[in-house]
Amino acid sequence: MTVTVTAAGPLPPRTYDVVIVGAGVVGCALARELARHPRLSVALVEAQDDVGQGISKANTAILHTGFDAAPGTLEARLVREGYDRLGAYAAESGIPVERVGALLVAWDEEQLAALPRLTGKAERNGYHETRLLNPGELYAREPHLGPGALGALHVPGESIICPWTTTLAYATQAVRAGVHLHLNTQVTQVSWETDGHRLLTSRGPLLARRLVNAAGLHADIVDRLLGHEDFTVTPRRGQLLVYDKLARPLVRHILLPVPTALGKGVLVAPTVYGNVLLGPTAEDLDDKRATGSTADGLAGLRDKGRRILPALLDEEVTAVYAGLRAATGQEDYRIAAHPEHGYVTVGGIRSTGLTASMAIAAHVTGLLAGTGLDLGPGREPEPVTMPNLGEAFPRPYQRPELMAADPEYGTLVCHCERVSRGEIRDALATTIPPRTLEGLRRRTRARAGRCQGFYCGAAVRELFERGRA
Amino acid sequence: MTTSRSVDVLVVGAGPAGLAAAARLAAAGAGRVEVLEREQQAGGVPRHCAHGGFGTWTRPLTGPRYARLLTEAAERAGAVLRTGTTVLDWAGTGPDPAGGPACPGPAGPGARPVLTAVGPGGPETIEARAVVLATGARERPRTARLVPGTRPDGVYTTGELQQAVHLFGQDIGARAVVVGAEDVSYAAAATVRAAGAEVVALVTEHPRAQTGRARARSVRLCHGVPLLTDSTVAELLGRGRLSGVRVRHRDGRTAVLSCDTVVFTGDFVPDHELARRGGLTLDPGTRGPAVDGALHTSRPGVFAAGNVLHAVERAGTAAGEGAGAAGAVLDFLAGTRWPAPGLPLAVEAPLRWIAPNRITPAVPPARYVLRTSTPLTRPVLRIHQNGRLLHSERPSLGTVLPNRPLTLTARWTGGVDPEGGGVRVSLA
């Protein structure tokens, strides 16, 4: 199977059976699902220069049980299904997952009173494993928790996952199975003709019999290009602080706030890379590119973090980032098929989208079939094995057999993250190679550590530039 | 698969402190002295400080030359230098690096320290009679300083900038703002100019540059680089590549400086990961391992020297400490008992930290190094124990600036009551 990944030049002059707009975690999951049907010709188009560059790269990286979804919604069902699917897929593909569990910590009587209601909600969502903890049990589980917590709800299934590897695994499998990935391709116009869609893009025209809008933050814009005004995406910014790996022993679970009338609060959570997250803020904005952090946002997070885990504030901050949620003002996904136009919108996919991604893909594939698309015979895709970025599983520098076969895996370049020259070399030779140092970081963790390049930045850049030449 | 070895002394880090310690230990016949360095070349940070100011008054050197000389001296003395080898952790069940008491090692007191490492040859376990931690310091990057804004390319620390320019010849942009106005900031500005780029400005939160007046004046007048005092970088701007920085003056005024590169200089922190993983007691002021005058840490058999103890002193100071630590290592190898933790030595504001920072009956240090957070004019330092004045001293007749070395003699250390409370240094 020839691999087609393009980033420049005109697009192929052919009519694809399906074009997916947006190579985030949802678009990539759908591409992978459609790639199971070899008769279909599928293109995945992405405005940016890499997969997973939007909402999918900047989130809280949690694999949700869906215990607190709004019961009866499509989101609740797809998260529940997606949780099982992605859990199994991660195990077979080398995507790091740690089943750390979550604690919803109650800091006042009102929050404490809300916990049994959340248990009921979880039950209605088909999740039966929550348990109330008294303060003694809570502090035994989280000895570094700030003083004054009155109790907690334990949700053992909540887990942490690597969102970058997930998106990349889907895209890699899709591309290897024949999906064409076209990067740097921004869709500017869509016209519907009797036999399909004619898309105008920043790289020229593209023809599609069926179109799927998985454009995330821009899903409403793409919808309007086709004459649909079903919803508006309001970017809701979430800023997060990533603390030094030396803080990792301070916390064992995902520490969730109890949702109250005042909205969702901030969480403290370990990451699969061995850091600790504090965030996110929630700021409704009107600029879909406003992924910057603000002084007020960071100060507010630190104030909240000081209460939850006081010792965290003594640690160094390794990274700061901000993501935008695709808020649509509705408590559910906005997935809609328009069979008369051969078009499916996958909008309003919120923070649960990472967990639900495989279930969303299966659901949308069904909707496409409902528009008259003949999927043809199916097959299982070739399994994929992703490089492990997680601390809970052996990384190359911890694998003697690997280093014995290739000393490059024992030659560390990025010291804070313990990334070897072999891993950087491998990343540059993958199916979907990084086009920037940021892309390399998401594939290897190089330059993602506490020194942010003080020690390794120039050396990593040298390897990247030489390796791409 | 894992090779296990024993050495007499294991030095972690081949910068000035580690190399000087290794050279003296090997020359004094300490047996097998091995230095593990995670970079491909020994020499530490001076490798990429392509400017003068190293060596001695009589024999001035550039950083790279100094790094080479220290490396050659250690090798000549018989120390084994192993570059490209990363020390990962202490063997056995490590303590909780987030805190908890210092532990004497998994096998109890008297057990030899054992470290795990990795290199091209695979994993190794190395047992040593003594360990010298010389892991150095790094500059806080933009993230750790919590500078808000976008996440564009073109954001550097001096360490990365110097390597990019002097070791790899990489392009670093055309217009750079340098954050800081201390010695290292001026070195960063020189590196920017050496790369053919323009220095837009130096920005410091302090009321004046913390470097020699002649140097500050020459950069301002000869190179036309403005110095913005009482100002901080409040926000980074730009998508893809940095397009500017928003600076905020103490009085609230803001302005945008157009630039495609920003260099965060100074604000050093000890690279103390290994110290913490080993359960060493850290000093709250320096955030490096707490040490006494002979550079004993809280863990028997483990010494520390150089900028992991105090971020950051000159390379010569680090090398001097390395050589000093070697003396204490030799005594320890010869059977001298490990001292008890001793008394904490702490500073009061506006002083920021002092090193060494434990007082034991062991040898006092050659001198103490301190830092202040505000300019001090003709300061008088006072040392108290339990309210009793032990010593007072005027270390400088001029003004001592933040980020500049401040030293205190150690001759009063013998007067400390070992049964008494902690010792405090304050300003008169």
Side-chain angles (χ1 to χ4, degrees), chain B residues 36 116 345 372 385:
Chain B
L36 299 188
T116 59
L345 173 62
T372 173
Q385 183 184 30

Side-chain angles (χ1 to χ4, degrees), chain B residues 197-265:
Chain B
E198 176 197 353
V199 183
V200 176
L202 286 94
V203 182
T204 176
E205 61 186 323
H206 295 287
R208 56 161 288 192
Q210 307 105 63
T211 187
R213 286 197 190 274
R215 185 181 202 178
R217 197 175 304 124
S218 120
V219 168
R220 206 171 56 241
L221 300 177
C222 306
H223 300 287
V225 177
L227 170 66
L228 306 183
T229 54
D230 294 307
S231 301
T232 52
V233 169
E235 188 183 2
L236 302 193
L237 309 164
R239 281 176 201 291
R241 183 79 190 194
L242 185 75
S243 64
V245 299
R246 190 183 310 281
V247 290
R248 177 176 293 119
H249 191 271
R250 200 178 295 281
D251 65 14
R253 286 176 301 154
T254 64
V256 172
L257 302 178
S258 167
C259 58
D260 58 2
T261 296
V262 61
V263 191
F264 288 92
T265 70

